[in-house]
Amino acid sequence: MPTEAKQLTTCDIVAATVRAEAARLGYNQVRLGQMLGITQSSVNKRWTGKRPWQLEELDSLATVLGTSVVDLVTPTGRETRLRQDSNLQPRD
């Protein structure tokens, strides 16, 4: 019996987009946390999708990443290929 694929949530989409954009900019979790004024631990929970990015955080997150809130929440089709535990951050 085939298993159903997990349906992507907005939380999954935002987490994947943040990981991809942070990697593109060369930001690791520590740097992103510093820029947002939150701890690396808080970033990690959001980075991995264990905790969703909050609606009130999306404006500052988009600004830091040089994108828009719309881009953060819009699926690109790459989300399913990006594992939530992926290590897309650069080495310090």
Side-chain angles (χ1 to χ4, degrees):
M1 183 171 184
T3 59
E4 290 185 35
K6 178 186 177 230
Q7 184 173 356
L8 286 177
T9 65
T10 303
C11 177
D12 297 328
I13 294 163
V14 173
T17 304
V18 168
R19 288 191 306 271
E21 289 301 309
R24 181 181 63 80
L25 295 168
Y27 297 162
N28 61 20
Q29 293 177 17
V30 172
R31 180 69 179 133
L32 187 58
Q34 290 169 338
M35 295 178 80
L36 293 169
I38 61 176
T39 65
Q40 181 274 332
S41 176
S42 293
V43 171
N44 181 266
K45 289 175 185 158
R46 291 162 175 84
W47 189 279
T48 59
K50 292 176 184 162
R51 179 175 176 183
W53 288 96
Q54 299 299 304
L55 183 60
E56 60 272 8
E57 296 172 320
L58 295 184
D59 286 325
S60 57
L61 184 58
T63 298
V64 164
L65 295 174
T67 191
S68 70
V69 172
V70 170
D71 288 337
L72 290 177
V73 300
T74 302
T76 63
R78 297 181 308 232
E79 293 82 10
T80 57
R81 294 192 310 258
L82 296 175
R83 294 184 1 227
Q84 286 194 0
D85 63 343
S86 64
N87 187 10
L88 295 177
Q89 53 187 314
R91 298 270 186 239
D92 288 342

